[in-house]
Amino acid sequence: MLASAAAVVQDVFERVVMPRPPLTVAEWADERLHLPSFAPVPGQWRTSRTPFLKEIMECLSPRHRCRKVVFMKPVQIGGTQVAVNWVGYTMDRSPTAMLFYEPIIDMAKRLTKEKLDPVIQATPTLRGKVREARSRDSGNTTYRKEFLGGFLNILWANSSAGSRSTSAPRIVVDEVDEFSNNLSGGDDPLEMLKGRTSAFPATSKSLYISSPQIKGLSRIEQLWNKSDQRRYHVPCPHCGHMQHLQWAGLHWTPDAKQCWYTCQECGASIDEHHKTQMIAAGQWVPDNPGAKTR
């Protein structure tokens, strides 16, 4: 059963009698989402700690015209957390059907146990919307979360049955480059997943996340190449030149005890203590602004 009848009444009242002002996913997370006690920074979510994630979450918001978001990223930078924030927003502010794909069943299980369930339990507004996990048919299991107005199915892409499952207007495809090239029946898993949103041609949104693997063979790279190819540009603390950071700009002493970055424009050295200020002042800049959106 739902956490309380009062929570249901309050939710209906807010939706019907007192329509809530629109929030982006980032605004909602800043207002309501909490991270569990074992998170690197537990407690209230603050987008300001990772400002480069803000625009990604804005693109996932219902009012934004973007319908496919491709996040090609380094490891441990918050990609899956963006997806979890989007799930929480969907449960609380914009309920509908949602599918979340991982490459294999073990990763799907870890997503629920280590990311999703802890955030639901730590966030009061979500605890009041997701059914309690009291039994196998409770509506809250490792691979399915039911809430008022929608549901979330957590699936794995190497299962052909899972890939052909329920359609939904919102899907997350996590760690795209970890997916098998083909399913046992010979089908390409990513091609099959595209069809999951086909019943919602005007309202669907898809999020693809991955660290790239082999250049030229990477699936996330192929998806990113078709996009407007935004890179996060940060200002040089010395001359203000906006640039995306590249490996070639990184330098270090022979003993590796000192490291710095060289500005592409003025050649000045940029040290570690500049990083926080630079990232906070950064912005996403498209290299391929003429790309057509789906």
Side-chain angles (χ1 to χ4, degrees), residues 8-21:
V8 176
V9 173
Q10 177 69 19
D11 185 73
V12 173
F13 180 78
E14 289 179 353
R15 291 176 189 279
V16 179
V17 181
M18 298 177 61
R20 293 170 291 185

Side-chain angles (χ1 to χ4, degrees), residues 27-28 39 48-49 57 69 91 97 163 190 247 264 285 291:
E27 290 169 342
W28 174 86
S48 58
R49 296 190 184 111
M57 289 188 282
V69 179
M91 290 176 170
S163 298
L190 289 191
W247 184 257
Q264 300 166 9
V285 178

Side-chain angles (χ1 to χ4, degrees), residues 17-253:
V17 181
M18 298 177 61
R20 293 170 291 185
L23 292 176
T24 67
V25 175
E27 290 169 342
W28 174 86
D30 281 333
E31 180 181 295
R32 296 201 170 189
L33 189 129
H34 287 73
L35 299 177
S37 59
F38 57 80
V41 184
Q44 179 67 49
W45 168 269
R46 293 283 182 262
T47 303
S48 58
R49 296 190 184 111
T50 50
F52 48 87
L53 299 179
K54 180 179 180 179
E55 187 167 331
I56 299 171
M57 289 188 282
E58 288 178 341
C59 290
L60 293 170
S61 305
R63 291 176 178 264
H64 197 284
R65 65 183 181 85
C66 181
R67 294 182 44 223
K68 181 185 290 185
V69 179
V70 178
F71 189 17
M72 183 169 66
K73 64 178 187 64
V75 298
Q76 299 297 318
I77 204 170
T80 303
Q81 186 61 52
V82 165
V84 170
N85 291 2
W86 189 28
V87 169
Y89 176 91
T90 297
M91 290 176 170
D92 184 42
R93 297 289 296 203
S94 180
T96 188
M98 193 169 190
L99 307 178
F100 200 127
Y101 286 92
E102 292 285 356
I104 59 175
I105 187 172
D106 287 348
M107 294 177 71
K109 186 180 298 183
R110 286 202 304 272
L111 169 72
T112 298
K113 300 298 184 183
E114 299 175 9
K115 297 276 189 180
L116 191 56
D117 279 352
V119 164
I120 291 173
Q121 288 304 308
T123 303
T125 188
L126 297 182
R127 287 202 306 269
K129 296 182 183 294
V130 180
R131 295 176 180 272
E132 296 180 24
R134 291 183 174 177
S135 64
R136 290 176 59 87
D137 60 351
S138 68
N140 181 356
T141 67
T142 301
Y143 307 116
R144 184 175 174 88
K145 309 292 178 186
E146 295 179 3
F147 46 92
L148 189 65
F151 64 85
L152 170 71
N153 283 353
I154 299 111
L155 305 159
W156 48 100
N158 63 344
S159 165
S160 58
S163 298
R164 295 187 180 96
S165 67
T166 310
S167 295
R170 297 176 188 171
I171 68 168
V172 177
V173 189
D174 196 16
E175 294 300 343
V176 173
D177 275 15
E178 298 286 344
F179 282 29
S180 300
N181 289 330
N182 295 99
L183 301 171
S184 57
D187 298 308
D188 182 294
L190 289 191
E191 288 300 317
M192 292 182 64
L193 297 186
K194 288 180 182 178
R196 298 305 92 222
T197 60
S198 59
F200 309 91
T203 60
S204 66
K205 281 187 180 284
S206 304
L207 171 61
Y208 295 84
I209 309 166
S210 190
S211 300
Q213 293 188 1
I214 302 174
K215 186 174 180 59
L217 299 178
S218 166
R219 284 176 161 174
I220 197 69
E221 180 189 37
Q222 293 168 12
L223 290 170
W224 185 81
N225 285 339
K226 297 176 182 178
S227 73
D228 65 3
Q229 299 177 10
R230 299 186 188 193
R231 298 180 187 269
Y232 198 69
H233 286 57
V234 295
C236 170
H238 305 290
C239 72
H241 176 67
M242 297 295 290
Q243 58 201 287
H244 73 271
L245 303 183
Q246 303 179 62
W247 184 257
L250 194 64
H251 306 276
W252 54 90
T253 57

